[in-house]
Amino acid sequence: RKPGASGRASEQASGEAEAGVQPLCAPSGEELDWALSCVRSRAFSGPASGTLKAAAAQLGFAGLLGLVSVVGGFLAPQQAVDGVSVVGVSLVFSDVVASRLLARGKRHVLCPYLDMLNHASSRSGSRLEYDYFGDAFGASLDPAAGPVPPGAELLISYGDRSNDQLLQYYGFVEAGNPHDSFLVDQQSFLLALGEADPYPKERLRRLSQARVPLTDNTAAVSLTAEGGGPRAMQLARLLFLAEADLADDGASPSSPAGEERA
């Protein structure tokens, strides 16, 4: 709420009351949050494009103009046909091709029934798409997942989302989420490494001697179910590996034994 908004709203309401205008009943903040969460958690997004119905209406209007032009003697029949054909081709190109190539933005839609499909990160090959010529949305399951047994749940992927994103946008978390990550600052990461497996303190100098110094202790270090991110692995190599086992200041993988140690 902006400063002074409450006072201005009261003045506006008083003015409307004096003018005999009844203001609409505004939702409470709690009701608005609930409505937004319902829409946000159920909405799908995709390239912003037109619809076949809208294109048909525009094409029909162009055809009507062409007919009037021919009847009025403004255009020859072939000229009118050519003009309507150009409009039709441009509409399809704009809606089907240009909207995807030029990425003009996203369109958010609610799809009844399709929004009942739950998420599984393992179904990354699934698709939810708008059929332009059928003017309908449809879902295709992940072919790599194989046939769905009778009575089993149909699942799609909502995208490569971490549990933070899933919780924020959809209200749930996924056990064993391969896209989940845990971020800590570098200082906390180094302290935790030292407690878990003490390393020679003099090796901390390697962090500042690297071609790209790693001296920012506030930098984010990511950890996933698969292991450490690039910065985490580089720090571990610099601190735990011998000089002969280091490659590219620890930024590149070392020997298999060195990688296992890191």
Side-chain angles (χ1 to χ4, degrees), residues 171-228:
F172 67 88
V173 295
E174 180 184 23
N177 186 348
H179 307 294
D180 209 7
S181 62
F182 182 72
L183 297 179
V184 296
D185 61 82
Q186 180 170 299
Q187 183 175 10
S188 300
F189 179 72
L190 296 177
L191 291 174
L193 279 183
E195 292 176 2
D197 194 350
Y199 48 81
K201 300 303 180 185
E202 59 269 16
R203 289 189 177 176
L204 286 171
R205 298 175 186 170
R206 293 178 175 177
L207 305 187
S208 59
Q209 294 170 352
R211 187 172 66 254
V212 179
L214 301 172
T215 54
D216 183 4
N217 281 330
T218 64
V221 178
S222 65
L223 302 170
T224 70
E226 302 298 324

Side-chain angles (χ1 to χ4, degrees), residues 8-188:
R8 288 195 296 271
S10 298
E11 294 175 3
Q12 181 179 1
S14 299
E16 290 174 345
E18 293 176 0
V21 178
Q22 295 297 325
L24 296 176
C25 181
S28 65
E30 183 178 354
E31 290 171 331
L32 180 60
D33 289 341
W34 173 82
L36 288 174
S37 66
C38 287
V39 172
R40 195 67 184 271
S41 65
R42 296 292 88 189
F44 294 95
S45 64
S49 64
T51 65
L52 184 60
K53 289 182 179 179
Q58 296 178 63
L59 187 60
F61 181 69
L64 178 61
L65 288 179
L67 179 61
V68 171
S69 299
V70 171
V71 173
F74 300 105
L75 293 176
Q78 187 58 48
Q79 290 177 313
V81 171
D82 291 343
V84 173
S85 299
V86 170
V87 171
V89 171
S90 64
L91 286 171
V92 174
F93 178 81
S94 174
D95 291 345
V96 178
V97 180
S99 63
R100 288 164 172 76
L101 295 180
L102 302 180
R104 296 183 299 183
K106 285 188 175 182
R107 177 175 59 162
H108 292 80
V109 297
L110 294 175
C111 303
Y113 297 106
L114 290 182
D115 65 9
M116 297 174 66
L117 296 174
N118 283 327
H119 165 82
S121 293
S122 60
R123 302 299 196 271
S124 58
S126 61
R127 294 288 183 269
L128 183 70
E129 296 178 320
Y130 172 66
D131 180 5
Y132 178 80
F133 295 100
D135 194 24
F137 287 87
S140 57
L141 303 182
D142 187 353
V148 181
E153 183 178 13
L154 299 179
L155 298 169
I156 61 173
S157 172
Y158 295 174
D160 298 343
R161 297 181 179 272
S162 68
N163 274 340
D164 281 346
Q165 294 172 313
L166 291 176
L167 182 61
Q168 178 181 0
Y169 292 110
Y170 305 105
F172 67 88
V173 295
E174 180 184 23
N177 186 348
H179 307 294
D180 209 7
S181 62
F182 182 72
L183 297 179
V184 296
D185 61 82
Q186 180 170 299
Q187 183 175 10
S188 300

